[in-house]
């Protein structure tokens, strides 16, 4: 996190973890462990390492059949409506990403290096893309 990106994260992340936590994650540009991700609502659950493939297969079957499938589709549709005009948000994110990726505006290279190396970022490299909504 912490890097200006796409995939509607400026709209979806605050809905998952709350506006304050989204800002903290994007500003810190540091990895978080799975336990923390679960605690803050970034992920729904942690799958066990043991029998991982079986666990994921069982999970996928549950969500591909019957009421869970319909509930998941309905929930997704509701979340998309809550986001608003997806095309507008994607266009805004893309226009903010371009100078970051191609002209290193906002210190993107330093943020990426810090993220990959799991090292602290410098205050001058700490930047943030405004959250949608």
């Amino acid at each position: 996190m912490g890097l200006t990106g796409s995939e509607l994260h400026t709209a979806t992340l605050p809905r998952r973890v709350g506006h304050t936590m989204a800002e903290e994650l994007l500003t810190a540009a540091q990895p978080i462990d799975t336990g923390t991700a679960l605690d803050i609502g970034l992920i729904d659950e942690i799958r066990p390492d043991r029998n991982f493939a079986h666990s994921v297969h069982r999970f996928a079957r549950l969500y591909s059949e019957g009421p869970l499938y319909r509930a998941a589709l309905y929930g997704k549709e509701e979340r998309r409506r809550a986001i608003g005009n997806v095309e507008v948000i994607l266009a805004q994110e893309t226009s903010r990403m371009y100078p970051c990726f191609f002209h290193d505006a906002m210190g993107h290279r330093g943020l990426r290096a810090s993220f990959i190396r799991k090292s602290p970022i410098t205050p001058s490299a700490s930047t943030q893309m405004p959250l949608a909504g």
Side-chain angles (χ1 to χ4, degrees):
M1 309 290 305
L3 306 177
T4 300
S6 64
E7 310 305 325
L8 299 172
H9 80 266
T10 62
T12 58
L13 185 61
R15 285 175 172 74
R16 292 275 320 195
V17 302
H19 193 81
T20 301
M21 180 56 69
E23 286 180 348
E24 288 178 28
L25 291 170
L26 292 170
T27 302
Q30 293 297 305
I32 61 172
D33 60 51
T34 53
T36 301
L38 183 65
D39 290 344
I40 65 173
L42 185 59
I43 61 175
D44 295 324
E45 65 181 277
I46 300 170
R47 295 277 160 190
D49 288 338
R50 188 176 215 180
N51 298 320
F52 180 75
H54 175 72
S55 173
V56 170
H57 180 73
R58 190 176 71 235
F59 177 80
R61 277 195 16 230
L62 283 172
Y63 276 88
S64 66
E65 303 168 354
L68 288 177
Y69 174 74
R70 286 188 294 281
L73 282 181
Y74 178 74
K76 183 176 183 178
E77 197 58 39
E78 288 296 309
R79 288 188 300 276
R80 275 182 114 7
R81 273 191 229 114
I83 287 172
N85 189 326
V86 172
E87 295 304 317
V88 169
I89 294 170
L90 284 173
Q92 291 169 343
E93 286 184 352
T94 302
S95 70
R96 292 182 189 126
M97 284 172 43
Y98 186 87
C100 294
F101 287 127
F102 297 107
H103 302 295
D104 199 29
M106 302 189 317
H108 176 78
R109 287 186 191 105
L111 288 170
R112 181 166 168 74
S114 294
F115 181 82
I116 291 170
R117 294 183 183 104
K118 296 179 175 61
S119 61
I121 58 173
T122 60
S124 62
S126 178
T127 59
Q128 179 182 351
M129 175 185 254
L131 298 173

